[in-house]
Amino acid sequence: MRQTRLRKYRSQYRWFRFVSKIALIWYLFVFSATYFTSGTSADFFYDARATSEVSSGIWLGDYRLKFTENGTENVYLCGESVEIGRALKNVGPDDMAEDGTYYVYYSADNGSPQNHGVEVYEGTFNALKSKEEIRLQFHAKNIGTYAFHVQDTDGDKWSAKIHVKENKSGNKCHNTNMTTEEISVENEKSDINESEEKATANAKKDDSDDENAKKVEQIEQTPSETENETREELREQEPTNEGSSQGKESNLNEEAEMNEQNDDNVE
Amino acid sequence: MKIFFKWLNRFVTAVLFVLLIGLGFLVFSSKLSGGEPNVFGYQLKTVLSGSMEPEFKTGSVIAVKPIDGEERQQLKVGDVITFMESDDKLITHRIIEVKETGAGIVYTTKGDNNNAPDSNPVLAENVVAVYSGFTIPYLGYISEFSQSKNGIIALLIVPGFLLIGYSGITIWRAFHELEKEKKKAEVEMPKTS
């Protein structure tokens, strides 16, 4: 009787026992999942890189600008304008960090553009490396005195004055790198050469009349030889013109005149 | 149907016994060895973030092999290591560079899914374990959830109450059955007498 009842209950409550087993397995599973595992962060992060510039000051470098040409320059105005310029060199140990600016100052009279002049032009030049030299230029249109002005880490730098003069007496139109004293001495020299040239030309005319008959025959035979002789004679007559480009020009002119005269004689 | 239920019941019983014996052994051995609980020499780690995807997914459980001494100095580029980032924080990332410095060997690590290496290099002494390659996906979610307040309620307390309720009903039905039989016996007794 007792065994029968036990068997009866066992079969009747088998569901309860089954559910209890499932629940026990569940609890064991949850326990093991929590007991045996621990977290590892495997850190996840995103690294965004932003490129930006923070300027805490500008280092210009130790560059020194210097106008390398000393002395006042005289330039004669030919046509509407004349190009004037000054050499500028970076004599400092560092390169320039950025392009530079130069100014041209002008004074109508012979006074100093630095003190009495007005700014007539503003230009830029490429950053100079250490020991690099460039030439600053400006087309001057007015008679007067000009000067170039730049700034460096030391402060203001002024070039020597450039006098732009009116070309009254047919002076050279290109620039001359001479001081005022040198220019005046050169002008005196050229005046003397011109008077000498005139004198020798007159003397030659007299002599040439006597020798013309002889030369006609020679020219007819060997014109090139005659020309060479004529050149030698001219050189002997005008030793003072040697070394002067202006003097050489006048010699060549006279040669041309002489040739024309000879041609006339031949005819 | 009866046969199916019979076999199912046997299977569940077998699983229960295996679990009970296995867990008992593991817990006992872990307690004996001290330190962090491990399973056959491997520690199980829940992956809490996606920095190492697709090597292992967030929420998976990975098995790592604890190392010490010389082994820490012999890791190479490409190994996935678990290291101590701070006293209470473990990180699992891949070695991308090994450097030998005056202070010892230093590893530069990076998560596969991160776009930049970790900011701090890892000293060899701080390496705890090496990833073994064994992963159980999604188990970590259950583990993590079960350790949370809501998880404890949902996974432990509610099933517990349900089981208690079901057992109460079963007991009540049993008593009801007993009373029923008792009354039946009382009715039958006068007849026989």
Side-chain angles (χ1 to χ4, degrees):
Chain A
M1 178 71 187
R2 189 171 291 273
Q3 275 184 348
T4 314
R5 188 182 287 174
L6 199 65
R7 194 175 297 139
K8 186 185 170 186
Y9 284 135
R10 187 181 286 172
S11 61
Q12 201 168 1
Y13 302 115
R14 62 188 174 186
W15 273 108
F16 176 73
R17 288 190 287 117
F18 182 74
V19 170
S20 301
K21 283 177 197 170
I22 297 289
L24 197 55
I25 289 170
W26 174 249
Y27 277 109
L28 287 172
F29 172 73
V30 173
F31 166 76
S32 58
T34 52
Y35 180 78
F36 290 106
T37 62
S38 58
T40 172
S41 290
D43 249 12
F44 181 75
F45 63 88
Y46 181 79
D47 182 24
R49 286 161 195 265
T51 306
S52 60
E53 205 170 89
V54 179
S55 181
S56 58
I58 298 169
W59 175 250
L60 293 171
D62 187 15
Y63 70 91
R64 307 273 166 82
L65 299 176
K66 185 183 178 185
F67 289 102
T68 54
E69 293 164 322
N70 296 319
T72 304
E73 185 179 7
N74 287 290
V75 176
Y76 296 98
L77 181 62
C78 298
E80 286 190 353
S81 69
V82 62
E83 187 181 285
I84 59 172
R86 281 298 190 192
L88 181 72
K89 187 176 183 180
N90 177 9
V91 295
D94 293 342
D95 299 341
M96 286 175 70
E98 52 192 30
D99 292 351
T101 306
Y102 71 96
Y103 306 91
V104 179
Y105 278 72
Y106 167 71
S107 172
D109 52 16
N110 282 338
S112 167
Q114 183 177 349
N115 298 324
H116 309 292
V118 290
E119 184 191 314
V120 291
Y121 180 74
E122 180 181 330
T124 57
F125 57 95
N126 292 333
L128 295 178
K129 291 177 180 174
S130 181
K131 313 302 176 198
E132 187 184 352
E133 186 172 335
I134 57 157
R135 188 163 183 83
L136 306 180
Q137 290 179 324
F138 174 68
H139 286 275
K141 293 179 179 175
N142 299 313
I143 307 297
T145 309
Y146 291 84
F148 288 84
H149 171 230
V150 293
Q151 286 182 319
D152 66 2
T153 48
D154 273 356
D156 294 340
K157 295 289 167 64
W158 290 87
S159 73
K161 290 183 283 186
I162 301 169
H163 293 302
V164 175
K165 295 181 175 179
E166 194 178 357
N167 193 11
K168 287 178 182 172
S169 54
N171 283 306
K172 289 170 283 182
C173 291
H174 60 274
N175 295 356
T176 55
N177 284 322
M178 287 184 284
T179 60
T180 313
E181 291 173 357
E182 285 171 342
I183 285 283
S184 57
V185 168
E186 192 65 23
N187 287 339
E188 283 174 16
K189 275 183 183 175
S190 62
D191 292 340
I192 292 165
N193 288 339
E194 280 172 13
S195 58
E196 282 178 352
E197 281 166 17
K198 284 176 185 173
T200 50
N202 291 334
K204 256 188 275 172
K205 266 190 177 179
D206 296 337
D207 294 337
S208 62
D209 291 336
D210 298 334
E211 291 172 8
N212 273 345
K214 293 177 184 176
K215 282 180 182 175
V216 169
E217 293 173 7
Q218 289 173 350
I219 289 163
E220 280 177 347
Q221 290 168 358
T222 52
S224 59
E225 286 178 9
T226 316
E227 283 175 17
N228 290 336
E229 285 174 4
T230 313
R231 281 179 184 168
E232 285 173 7
E233 283 171 9
L234 286 168
R235 280 176 193 155
E236 285 170 2
Q237 287 170 2
E238 298 170 334
T240 51
N241 288 344
E242 283 180 4
S244 164
S245 61
Q246 210 167 349
K248 281 177 187 171
E249 282 174 11
S250 56
N251 283 345
L252 291 172
N253 291 335
E254 282 180 10
E255 275 178 40
E257 285 174 13
M258 286 292 289
N259 288 336
E260 283 173 11
Q261 283 175 3
N262 290 335
D263 292 340
D264 293 341
N265 293 332
V266 170
E267 287 169 356
Chain B
M1 184 67 189
K2 270 188 176 179
I3 296 169
F4 171 75
F5 181 77
K6 194 177 175 183
W7 279 106
L8 186 68
N9 192 26
R10 283 178 181 174
F11 175 73
V12 169
T13 308
V15 169
L16 180 62
F17 269 92
V18 169
L19 266 177
L20 273 172
I21 293 165
L23 276 177
F25 170 75
L26 290 174
V27 171
F28 188 68
S29 62
S30 288
K31 288 285 173 193
L32 274 183
S33 62
E36 205 162 320
N38 59 71
V39 181
F40 304 118
Y42 290 92
Q43 289 178 3
L44 300 176
K45 302 286 180 192
T46 308
V47 180
L48 304 175
S49 70
S51 71
M52 280 300 286
E53 288 182 1
E55 182 72 34
F56 36 82
K57 302 260 183 197
T58 311
S60 57
V61 167
I62 58 169
V64 295
K65 190 169 181 58
I67 55 171
D68 52 8
E70 277 295 304
E71 286 177 304
R72 288 173 172 165
Q73 314 285 333
Q74 293 164 355
L75 298 167
K76 54 188 185 300
V77 172
D79 288 345
V80 178
I81 56 167
T82 302
F83 57 92
M84 288 181 70
E85 204 264 341
S86 59
D87 287 344
D88 55 350
K89 190 176 181 184
L90 288 172
I91 290 176
T92 303
H93 276 173
R94 194 182 297 278
I95 296 173
I96 59 165
E97 193 181 7
V98 181
K99 277 183 190 169
E100 204 162 334
T101 66
I105 290 174
V106 172
Y107 301 110
T108 304
T109 53
K110 177 179 168 293
D112 288 358
N113 203 22
N114 288 350
N115 69 345
D118 298 338
S119 50
N120 296 323
V122 181
L123 273 172
E125 286 75 23
N126 290 332
V127 179
V128 175
V130 182
Y131 173 56
S132 65
F134 178 76
T135 311
I136 307 170
Y138 306 114
L139 182 63
Y141 284 125
I142 299 169
S143 170
E144 277 299 300
F145 184 59
S146 64
Q147 290 174 40
S148 66
K149 197 176 174 183
N150 291 337
I152 289 168
I153 293 169
L155 300 179
L156 299 175
I157 296 175
V158 170
F161 273 111
L162 287 174
L163 193 64
I164 290 167
Y166 184 59
S167 60
I169 291 167
T170 309
I171 291 165
W172 178 80
R173 275 167 70 181
F175 275 114
H176 189 70
E177 283 287 325
L178 281 173
E179 273 185 26
K180 226 171 156 182
E181 281 185 15
K182 200 176 177 182
K183 279 180 183 175
K184 199 176 174 183
E186 281 175 1
V187 171
E188 285 176 358
M189 276 290 281
K191 281 182 183 176
T192 51
S193 59

